[in-house]
Structures are given as structure tokens and as C-alpha cells.
């Protein structure tokens, strides 16, 4: 059997101003080219995005869905922003918390459901939350709820809203 090769890129944001602000060292077009070149070679390609980066509004994050859909990705992993102790971002958050979109668990479930409705249905969502051990962050606003429980809560939210991934995309 042939080996399985998957290449994942930490794109983190579709917005160049954000990428510059968080010192990513690339713009979105560079990430796009890397994903396109990888996929053109027949390799499964994935990407990571962080929701709640400084300067990004909920609308900007929702607008990112169209850019994500345009990439030849097989899979995506989303992470809610978690502020790690001792980082530049912790300092920035302390100075300008209003620049950060911080979600309660209920807000995040609703927001991520809104995102799912805008993401193409063939895109595998491998993760929609990230876990940082509590000792590395100053706050754990969702407590110590594990990913499997969060997935159950998201599935329940989808059922309650009678919605699904890709629901808001136009048929071609």
C-alpha cells in the first residue's frame, strides 16, 4: 500500500493585516500559492485557521469562508484564539482587549454554526476548537470541557437550528 501524505498549512487568517499584526511572515496570497502548488501535485492539503485574532470582527471571519472555499483544500482545522501566558499576544490583549473577539461557549457554537453554513460541504472539518492545557493560559472561559463534548454540543446546535455545512452556498 502507498503511504498517506497530507500537507497542512498554518494559514491562520485570510486577512493580510491580521497576518502582519501577528507576525506570521506571509500574506494570504503566499499561502494560496503554497496550497495550490501542493494540491496540484496530487497531495491531500489541509489548513489551520484561528478564530478571534486581534483586529478581526465576526463579519471578517465569516467573509473568510469564501476565501477558504476557493482553496483546493481537503480539510480544515479551526481553533478559537487562546491567549498563552508569557507571549506578545498576552501583552497585546492586556493593553487592547477590545481588539479581540472573545467568545463564550454559547457564542462560539452559534458563530461556528454560522461558519459551517458558509463552508463547502466537501471540505472535511477535522477540528473546530483547540485545547491548550490550563496551566498555559490565564483563563479557561469554557472550563475544562473536552473536544468530544464540544463536538456533541455543536451537533446539537446544528439540529436545533435545522442547518448543515454548506447550507448557505448557492447551487451552481
Amino acid at each position: 500500500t502507498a503511504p498517506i501524505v497530507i500537507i497542512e498549512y498554518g494559514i491562520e487568517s485570510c486577512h493580510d493585516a491580521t497576518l502582519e499584526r501577528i507576525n506570521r511572515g506571509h500574506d494570504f496570497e503566499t499561502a494560496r500559492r503554497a496550497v495550490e502548488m501542493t494540491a496540484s501535485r496530487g497531495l491531500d492539503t489541509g489548513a489551520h485557521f484561528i478564530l478571534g485574532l486581534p483586529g478581526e470582527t465576526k463579519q471578517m471571519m465569516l467573509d473568510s469562508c469564501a476565501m477558504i472555499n476557493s482553496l483546493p483544500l481537503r480539510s480544515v482545522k479551526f481553533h478559537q484564539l487562546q491567549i498563552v501566558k508569557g507571549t506578545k499576544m498576552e501583552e497585546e490583549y492586556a493593553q487592547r482587549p477590545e481588539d479581540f473577539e472573545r467568545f463564550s461557549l454559547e457564542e462560539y457554537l452559534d458563530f461556528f454554526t454560522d461558519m459551517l453554513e458558509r463552508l463547502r460541504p466537501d471540505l472535511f472539518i477535522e477540528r473546530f476548537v483547540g485545547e491548550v492545557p490550563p496551566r498555559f493560559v490565564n483563563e479557561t472561559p469554557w472550563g475544562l470541557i473536552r473536544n468530544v463534548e464540544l463536538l456533541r454540543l455543536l451537533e446539537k446546535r446544528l439540529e436545533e437550528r435545522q442547518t448543515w455545512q454548506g447550507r448557505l452556498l448557492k447551487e451552481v
Side-chain angles (χ1 to χ4, degrees):
T1 62
I4 297 172
V5 177
I6 301 170
I7 305 294
E8 293 185 351
Y9 291 97
I11 298 173
E12 314 311 358
S13 174
C14 296
H15 303 283
D16 289 342
T18 302
L19 294 169
E20 185 174 334
R21 183 171 181 174
I22 65 171
N23 299 311
R24 284 297 299 165
H26 66 84
D27 61 9
F28 184 72
E29 190 53 37
T30 301
R32 175 185 294 287
R33 283 193 312 271
V35 168
E36 288 172 348
M37 288 190 303
T38 302
S40 74
R41 287 163 175 76
L43 296 170
D44 282 345
T45 308
H48 293 239
F49 294 92
I50 299 173
L51 303 175
L53 288 168
E56 291 196 3
T57 64
K58 288 179 182 175
Q59 189 59 54
M60 288 172 71
M61 290 179 261
L62 289 174
D63 291 345
S64 296
C65 293
M67 291 180 268
I68 294 167
N69 287 339
S70 75
L71 297 172
L73 294 169
R74 179 180 178 275
S75 63
V76 180
K77 293 178 180 172
F78 292 97
H79 309 259
Q80 79 284 16
L81 178 65
Q82 297 176 79
I83 312 252
V84 176
K85 291 178 185 176
T87 62
K88 290 270 191 200
M89 192 161 295
E90 181 186 38
E91 292 173 21
E92 186 176 352
Y93 180 67
Q95 293 170 2
R96 298 187 54 87
E98 67 277 5
D99 285 359
F100 292 74
E101 187 66 56
R102 302 292 289 183
F103 296 95
S104 71
L105 176 55
E106 292 299 316
E107 289 169 332
Y108 191 79
L109 291 169
D110 279 328
F111 178 74
F112 196 77
T113 299
D114 293 341
M115 285 197 70
L116 275 177
E117 291 176 320
R118 291 160 173 79
L119 291 169
R120 54 179 222 265
D122 67 320
L123 190 59
F124 290 99
I125 310 301
E126 292 186 4
R127 182 181 305 138
F128 79 102
V129 293
E131 285 186 71
V132 172
R135 69 182 179 275
F136 295 117
V137 293
N138 283 330
E139 59 180 34
T140 52
W142 303 349
L144 299 177
I145 302 172
R146 301 300 304 225
N147 282 347
V148 68
E149 177 63 12
L150 292 168
L151 180 57
R152 189 191 68 71
L153 292 170
L154 178 62
E155 289 171 345
K156 183 179 178 200
R157 187 61 44 95
L158 289 166
E159 289 174 11
E160 290 168 355
R161 287 179 46 177
Q162 297 181 353
T163 194
W164 57 90
Q165 184 175 335
R167 184 182 72 83
L168 296 179
L169 295 178
K170 304 262 190 268
E171 294 292 325
V172 179

